[in-house]
Amino acid sequence: MKMKTKHIITILLFLLSISFYPQGKKMLEKKEQIYALKVAFITNNLSLTSAEAERFWPIYNTFEEKQFDLKRQKSISYNKKMVDETLGKMSDKEALAVLTQMEATEDELFQLRKKLIINLKSILSPVKIIKLKKAEEEFNKKLLQQYRNKGTKK
């Protein structure tokens, strides 16, 4: 069963990589494709019952949306400040303010994850919650590896 799952995921990731080649694809479509693959990957790895899935996905999707929005919003702000020209002119006081903002963002992300875990405790077993974290990490690792492999083939 595990081997079959790995083959399916490999095929899905390959198909996803093919879809990245057309330049006309929009970023939103890519995000949706990646998220669909992530959903399949997590569903496979957690072996959710239909009752668990029905309660799990709305909570997880809300978490993902909030996390994405927070990261996007903050990265826009940080990217403006991380330009070499801006960094070279930044005072220690300004840098300290940026560090404080970065710490606050990390804390917000931590609080989001903590809230997710609290909400999932009434739905999933502790083992499945840990499997979720592991599945997320494995998915991100596979996605990053695929991206790296695609970059070396150009």
Side-chain angles (χ1 to χ4, degrees), residues 8-9 25 59 67 78 80 93 105 113 118 127 133 140 148 151:
I8 291 171
I9 291 166
K25 290 271 186 188
I59 291 170
Q67 179 177 249
Y78 296 149
K80 290 178 185 175
K93 185 177 179 180
T105 300
R113 172 68 62 179
I118 289 167
V127 171
K133 179 69 174 158
N140 291 337
R148 286 181 181 152

Side-chain angles (χ1 to χ4, degrees), residues 13-33:
L13 289 173
F14 174 75
L15 292 173
L16 177 65
S17 71
I18 291 171
S19 70
F20 278 173
Y21 283 104
Q23 296 297 323
K25 290 271 186 188
K26 296 189 186 222
M27 195 60 132
L28 181 61
E29 291 171 346
K30 290 178 186 176
K31 181 185 172 230
E32 288 172 358
Q33 287 176 328

Side-chain angles (χ1 to χ4, degrees), residues 89-100:
K89 296 176 185 175
M90 191 179 286
S91 69
D92 282 348
K93 185 177 179 180
E94 291 168 324
L96 190 56
V98 171
L99 285 174
T100 301

Side-chain angles (χ1 to χ4, degrees), residues 45-133:
N45 280 275
L46 276 104
S47 303
L48 296 173
T49 66
S50 58
E52 288 172 333
E54 189 176 315
R55 294 177 62 205
F56 169 80
W57 286 112
I59 291 170
Y60 189 78
N61 289 336
T62 300
F63 163 76
E64 282 285 301
E65 288 171 21
K66 287 180 181 177
Q67 179 177 249
F68 177 79
D69 288 343
L70 179 62
K71 286 180 178 180
R72 183 179 46 90
Q73 172 192 6
K74 299 303 179 178
S75 73
I76 291 169
S77 172
Y78 296 149
N79 287 341
K80 290 178 185 175
K81 296 172 185 167
M82 296 300 178
V83 178
D84 286 338
E85 294 168 1
T86 306
L87 284 173
K89 296 176 185 175
M90 191 179 286
S91 69
D92 282 348
K93 185 177 179 180
E94 291 168 324
L96 190 56
V98 171
L99 285 174
T100 301
Q101 286 178 332
M102 293 168 96
E103 290 170 349
T105 300
E106 289 300 318
D107 188 50
E108 285 180 70
L109 290 168
F110 173 76
Q111 294 303 325
L112 273 177
R113 172 68 62 179
K114 192 174 176 180
K115 184 178 177 185
L116 172 70
I117 291 170
I118 289 167
N119 290 336
L120 292 181
K121 283 181 179 178
S122 64
I123 300 167
L124 302 176
S125 71
V127 171
K128 283 190 178 183
I129 295 172
I130 293 169
K131 284 182 177 182
L132 169 64
K133 179 69 174 158

